[in-house]
Amino acid sequence: MESREDNIVDLFVIGGGINGCGIARDAAGRGLSVELAEMNDLASATSSASTKLFHGGLRYLEYFEIRLVREALIERETLLRAMPHISWPMRFVLPYHRDMRFEAETPTSRILSLVMPWMKGRRPAWLIRLGLFLYDHLGGRKILPATKTLDLTNAPEGTPLKDKFAQAFEYSDCWIEDSRLVVLNARDAEARGARIRVRTKVRSAERKGDLWTVALEDQESGATDVVQARALVNAGGPWVKDVISNTLRLNSSEGVRLVRGSHIVTRKLYDHDKCYFFQGGDGRIIFAIPYEGEFTLIGTTDAEHTDANAPPECTPDEAEYLCNFASQYFERPVTRDDIVWSYSGVRPLYDDGAKSATAATRDYVLSLSEGQGAPLLNVFGGKITTYRKLAEAALAKITPFFPKAGQDWTAGVALPGGDFAVDGFDRLVKDLQAAYPFLGPDWARRLVRAYGTEAWEILGDAQSAADLGPDFGATLTGAEVRWQMRREYAREAADVVWRRTRLGLKMRPEQIAALDEWMRHEQGATDAAPRAAKG
């Protein structure tokens, strides 16, 4: 380790989303002393409100963002190998109809309007197939199966769709449990020596010669602390510009464009396990994805969001838009009555001056400031699929200041619980049920999906469900919640049921309230234990 003397660390990271936690993990694994502060819960903003996909970004090909797509496609399989519990392959069905159109401002649509004006903005089938050919081959695919064509008139994937959709293209991408990804990166960073502070606000950070002086405040107790760091990373996500202007009190011409992406969760709309990729008459796209066994996830929108401090919510207009969009494809219309939950996140895109939110770049920008003493790295944009590559790129800018830092190391290195083969999930579920016969198949699958090989540590020597402590409903037990509190930084019920799991969809409000009360009691007992020992 470079050094951790007194209260000086090599690297201080502001922000506990996927970029901040990914950078902290990478840096700690290179031998740097690292501290990270997140003002709320880990993944409490954008990183828990994604569409839950590791994907190359098929539609980004229309914007000629070839490097971004290629990097993301390569990453899918690298990440699959490192986290086969929280990520898995998924097949995507793209129904085709001749009336499908481009989003008006894409470079591809402008070129086609010049050379094929008679198409009047429609997407030709050959162009979609060409895009999917590139999608199959840009990333050197080894695990995921290739694109194929479906005849929807006699395939099960056509059953829930309107009769006018007779043909579809089926291709591969991957699912990811987004907020668990963040927590596992934070845990691995901590295991490698980093200090992770949740619910800790960075009140100010000031350059003093070769060090940053960072003032912190615990959001729960009000306690304050000061840490000095040789380098500072601003991974504030939607607050990245606010951190620059108000926390660091620096001037910068670089800006962030806040784009709200809203999703709805409905009752299960179809029976198979594939995702639909729908193209709208306005040129936009949405996904309809099997979700948590009993539901369908539909999203996302692209809407301007003006204030990072304003909690993003799926507006009635956005919910109606998503219902109407999906109803253009499904035989049975999707209505507001089908919606059981909605969520919304803010994407902090680099402001490249694009005319619309949809056209704004999804690529990341890393801005290094080193001219006035201790270095500062500001992180703009990014997407969850390329978080590991973003972290490597960030460290490439930081490590010249730390000559003893190690090399790139994260590719293929398993996250906690992910130390098993990509195709070993079903075997692991069977082994868990054999070890704990009281687990039903759905319960066992959920535990392995969340915790992988660490599920055995959570269950311990339990001989029955009663040995796992209180039953909060939906297979959530005291043993699992204690694990999340002690190992995964959870402090309240929302951390457990809406981020580290999505069991809030299956729990009653009174069950969630009981969980919250129990966690407060547990936290109080934990906090009191050292004082009692001293007394």
Side-chain angles (χ1 to χ4, degrees), residues 181 206 216 237 241 246 285 300 327 396:
L181 175 67
E206 182 182 0
L216 305 170
K241 182 65 173 178
N246 298 320
I285 66 100
T300 179
S327 296

Side-chain angles (χ1 to χ4, degrees), residues 300-467:
T300 179
T301 60
D302 276 322
E304 302 288 354
H305 193 81
T306 56
D307 182 3
N309 291 311
E313 295 181 353
C314 180
T315 66
D317 285 347
E318 286 177 304
E320 191 71 24
Y321 172 82
L322 292 172
C323 287
N324 291 339
F325 199 143
S327 296
Q328 295 173 27
Y329 282 82
F330 287 120
E331 181 65 35
R332 187 183 74 79
V334 181
T335 71
R336 297 284 294 276
D337 291 339
D338 293 315
I339 299 174
V340 298
W341 183 51
S342 65
Y343 68 88
S344 188
V346 176
R347 305 182 194 97
L349 306 181
Y350 184 73
D351 192 352
D352 60 356
K355 291 182 180 180
S356 69
T358 301
T361 182
R362 267 53 177 175
D363 210 345
Y364 54 81
V365 174
L366 305 175
S367 177
L368 180 68
S369 169
E370 56 176 307
Q372 302 174 356
L376 163 69
L377 184 70
N378 293 309
V379 180
F380 296 91
K383 59 199 294 282
I384 197 165
T385 312
T386 52
Y387 88 89
R388 192 193 67 82
K389 294 297 291 184
L390 182 151
E392 282 188 345
L395 268 295
K397 290 181 175 289
I398 293 168
T399 51
F401 300 96
F402 302 98
K404 296 180 182 179
Q407 301 299 310
D408 293 352
W409 65 274
T410 57
V413 176
L415 288 173
D419 50 339
F420 62 96
V422 172
D423 60 357
F425 175 80
D426 290 337
R427 177 75 264 169
L428 213 61
V429 172
K430 290 178 181 177
D431 290 347
L432 189 68
Q433 282 193 275
Y436 302 95
F438 61 85
L439 294 176
D442 290 342
W443 190 357
R445 287 182 66 84
R446 185 184 72 77
L447 290 175
V448 175
R449 274 292 175 225
Y451 307 103
T453 56
E454 292 188 322
W456 276 260
E457 295 183 49
I458 295 171
L459 298 173
D461 57 4
Q463 300 297 308
S464 68
D467 295 333

Side-chain angles (χ1 to χ4, degrees), residues 209-260:
D210 293 333
L211 294 174
W212 283 96
T213 298
V214 184
L216 305 170
E217 180 180 355
D218 187 295
Q219 299 282 71
E220 295 174 326
S221 69
T224 59
D225 193 11
V226 174
V227 176
Q228 291 184 303
R230 296 181 176 86
L232 185 69
V233 171
N234 171 16
W239 293 272
V240 62
K241 182 65 173 178
D242 181 71
V243 169
I244 295 170
S245 301
N246 298 320
T247 306
L248 310 182
R249 295 184 176 88
L250 299 176
N251 294 320
S252 174
S253 60
E254 293 175 305
V256 64
R257 186 170 191 164
L258 303 180
V259 177
R260 186 176 65 253

Side-chain angles (χ1 to χ4, degrees), residues 105-120:
E105 296 300 320
T106 70
T108 302
S109 68
R110 290 196 292 268
I111 292 172
L112 263 292
S113 69
L114 289 175
V115 300
M116 300 176 65
W118 59 88
M119 293 297 294
K120 298 180 179 179

Side-chain angles (χ1 to χ4, degrees), residues 182-197:
V182 178
V183 168
L184 295 183
N185 269 271
R187 279 190 54 208
D188 202 47
E190 186 176 61
R192 298 173 190 277
R195 182 179 183 183
I196 306 296
R197 297 190 186 210

